[in-house]
Amino acid sequence: MRPIVAALFWGLAFVAPYAQGTATPTAGDLPAVLREPVDKNPDPRILDIDLEARVTSVEFAPGERIDAWTYNGLLPGPLIRAHVGDRLIVHFTNSLPQPTTVHWHGLRVPANMDGVPEHSQAEVPPGGRFVYDFILPDAGLFWYHPHVQSAAQAGFGLYGALLVEDASDRLPFPERVLVLSDIAIDKPGVFESPDSGGSAGMAFGREGNRLLVNGRERPTFTARAGAPERWRVVNAAKSRYFNLDIGSPFLTIGVDGGLQEYPTKSETLVLAPGERADVIVTPPGAPGTSLVVRALLFDRGYGSIEARIPFDDLFTIRLSEAPAATVAPLPELHRSIEALPVAQATRVSLDLTITQRSDQVFEYGINGVAFAKGHWLHADPGETQIWTLTNKTKWSHPFHLHGFFFQVLDEHEQPVHPLAWKDTVSVPYERTVKVIVRFDTDRPGMWMFHCHVLDHADGGLMGMIEVGGHAHDAASEHKP
């Protein structure tokens, strides 16, 4: 099920050329630049790096510091940049006071590299080490974070971006990677407790009170008026949906699994936790002026928009004094993606549920069963399945499947266009979403699926599917 290589069809030639590279922030905002790790291997097709999880004092706003949980002392962790087909070797060291792992979100890795305790690898204890070693088969923006006490550890700062590039989809625009997140500060220099609000806080999904872009609060970047830019954006927040507004349209050219079938235009850009977007933007305004990119309120369910300000300032773009660029129409990008066949697919029904066990004690589950109860699904290698995800709760759930891409279907099981490869999809509250997935023949093992509002996942909204091996009796409870 490898995504088909992208094909780019160019329209008119550009009137003004653009240099490729990363769009840079102003001098006063250099901490917002994502740093890359040192490659210890001279082979250009092997990226061999060290990654250490440790507590580090970081400055997230001018004069404000927090003892964050970091990778390599950075918030977010280092930007891992590689190319399709490269081998990635990560020598991981855990210098935290708790066990942890690294999950490579969206990557089609072997099961024993997926970072899920018990089912793919043992937890890495404090002082322990683990070597992740795999090939990067797909282009796109991916990311990494723990899968031990995920809500707490990611909420403390453990996340980073991984960009897999492909020469066939390069564009002649300045490019920036934007890691969106938030942190919850209780008092200056102190994180809010990850179990604040108890079971009710878990049921809602705890959002931070400080919004970050590349680890900084309200950073400033520079751009040229009229000059398109390519933004690779990931929502690494543990609960918050980001609804971005720049004052001009976003042209989305790709999502989780790389370029989509054709571009789509939208006035705002909505990303659920765990989702990524590849967009072209042209910051509006005259040379020498500035504009603020805002995070608008987004209705993700009960209590998410009541009595709240309508937007947050996310970051500033300062337009340089250079004359505004003049360009021809943007290039047309098309990718050939084959719709997965539905005729012989196995149907699986998964209800996303919440149960009130006692006063103010809630438990999430799949078909009414919390993850701790151990109900598993099963798939044969090469099997195609259609999952009907019915959200029976009052909150939206970004549904994430480890290790495999899927396509979204409409209510009639027809492919939703533009076709795209996804690993995370938002299932709105009290709604149903259908997805179709083909399980690769070469990667058997146990694979997790869960809500990427990490409090919901930790609260029971998780499950496992075994690809290959023997079906478990409990799996039949999930199939009609």
Side-chain angles (χ1 to χ4, degrees):
M1 193 191 67
R2 293 181 182 273
I4 301 171
V5 175
L8 278 65
F9 300 95
W10 292 89
L12 299 175
F14 284 91
V15 176
Y18 296 93
Q20 291 189 5
T22 302
T24 57
T26 59
D29 295 288
L30 289 179
V33 173
L34 298 175
R35 293 165 57 184
E36 299 184 21
V38 175
D39 182 3
K40 302 184 298 181
N41 195 310
D43 188 328
R45 301 311 308 271
I46 299 176
L47 180 59
D48 191 338
I49 65 173
D50 292 326
L51 192 69
E52 180 189 11
R54 65 177 185 260
V55 179
T56 307
S57 176
V58 298
E59 186 177 33
F60 68 91
E64 293 192 68
R65 306 189 71 88
I66 193 80
D67 287 339
W69 291 30
T70 71
Y71 293 112
N72 291 4
L74 303 173
L75 179 68
L79 171 61
I80 301 173
R81 187 189 299 267
H83 295 85
V84 171
D86 285 357
R87 178 183 176 189
L88 176 62
I89 305 172
V90 179
H91 301 270
F92 176 68
T93 301
N94 181 16
S95 298
L96 298 171
Q98 293 180 0
T100 192
T101 62
V102 183
H103 166 58
W104 307 94
H105 183 118
L107 289 180
R108 297 189 301 127
V109 298
N112 63 354
M113 295 285 109
D114 193 48
V116 175
E118 299 182 19
H119 299 290
S120 66
Q121 70 167 99
E123 294 179 348
V124 183
R129 299 172 182 270
F130 188 87
V131 177
Y132 295 94
D133 188 344
F134 47 80
I135 302 298
L136 299 166
D138 306 299
L141 180 64
F142 306 96
W143 63 298
Y144 56 97
H145 61 83
H147 241 290
V148 176
Q149 299 187 46
S150 301
Q153 293 192 6
F156 289 161
L158 282 178
Y159 49 84
L162 192 161
L163 179 59
V164 183
E165 299 177 308
D166 189 334
S168 68
D169 69 7
R170 288 178 181 168
L171 295 176
F173 303 143
E175 181 176 310
R176 61 177 99 238
V177 176
L178 299 174
V179 181
L180 310 181
S181 61
D182 60 10
I183 53 176
I185 304 295
D186 184 32
K187 54 186 177 180
V190 179
F191 279 111
E192 183 178 85
S193 172
D195 61 357
S196 63
S199 184
M202 177 278 296
F204 175 74
R206 301 169 180 92
E207 295 184 3
N209 51 15
R210 309 292 289 270
L211 276 60
L212 305 181
V213 180
N214 292 355
R216 295 279 288 182
E217 186 176 49
R218 292 191 293 274
T220 299
F221 298 91
T222 58
R224 183 181 177 187
E229 297 186 347
R230 185 179 190 178
W231 293 4
R232 310 282 194 117
V233 191
V234 54
N235 182 358
K238 65 177 185 176
S239 295
R240 181 184 298 272
Y241 280 64
F242 279 93
N243 184 14
L244 303 186
D245 176 29
I246 193 176
S248 64
F250 292 88
L251 186 70
T252 299
I253 62 175
V255 288
D256 301 344
L259 293 182
Q260 60 190 25
E261 187 180 21
Y262 52 81
T264 54
K265 186 177 290 188
S266 60
E267 293 303 313
T268 65
L269 178 67
V270 177
L271 287 177
E275 284 189 308
R276 287 87 69 206
D278 188 351
V279 297
I280 297 174
V281 298
T282 303
T289 63
S290 296
L291 64 118
V292 176
V293 178
R294 291 172 168 170
L296 306 181
L297 275 184
F298 181 80
D299 182 7
R300 68 175 181 91
Y302 179 76
S304 62
I305 60 173
E306 288 81 358
R308 301 177 68 173
I309 59 175
F311 61 84
D312 290 291
D313 291 347
L314 198 54
F315 61 96
T316 298
I317 297 178
R318 185 174 300 152
L319 299 176
S320 70
E321 299 288 347
T326 301
V327 297
L330 295 176
E332 296 181 3
L333 292 95
H334 296 274
R335 181 184 184 185
S336 178
I337 299 178
E338 182 180 352
L340 294 175
V342 303
Q344 302 301 318
T346 304
R347 269 63 176 180
V348 178
S349 295
L350 300 177
D351 291 346
L352 315 182
T353 58
I354 187 169
T355 303
Q356 187 167 353
R357 295 300 181 191
S358 61
D359 185 37
Q360 293 297 303
V361 176
F362 300 91
E363 180 182 81
Y364 278 106
I366 305 289
N367 291 353
V369 179
F371 177 72
K373 305 302 192 303
H375 283 46
W376 295 350
L377 302 180
H378 178 265
D380 294 326
E383 182 180 0
T384 299
Q385 296 187 355
I386 294 176
W387 290 10
T388 298
L389 310 171
T390 301
N391 187 349
K392 295 190 173 182
T393 78
K394 298 293 185 181
W395 294 280
S396 297
H397 300 296
F399 185 91
H400 172 52
L401 172 63
H402 285 211
F404 300 92
F405 293 137
F406 54 75
Q407 296 171 359
V408 179
L409 303 176
D410 66 18
E411 64 272 23
H412 304 295
E413 298 188 354
Q414 296 301 304
V416 172
H417 292 276
L419 290 170
W421 294 112
K422 296 280 291 174
D423 57 63
T424 306
V425 64
S426 181
V427 184
Y429 56 92
E430 300 177 326
R431 297 279 299 277
T432 295
V433 171
K434 291 177 179 281
V435 301
I436 183 170
V437 55
R438 178 185 294 151
F439 293 96
D440 301 343
T441 59
D442 58 348
R443 291 180 304 111
M446 294 294 297
W447 299 94
M448 179 174 278
F449 53 89
H450 62 91
C451 174
H452 225 284
V453 171
L454 295 177
D455 286 312
H456 294 174
D458 288 350
L461 220 172
M462 295 193 290
M464 302 293 300
I465 181 165
E466 184 176 25
V467 179
H470 300 287
H472 294 265
D473 291 340
S476 63
E477 298 182 19
H478 296 283
K479 294 188 178 184

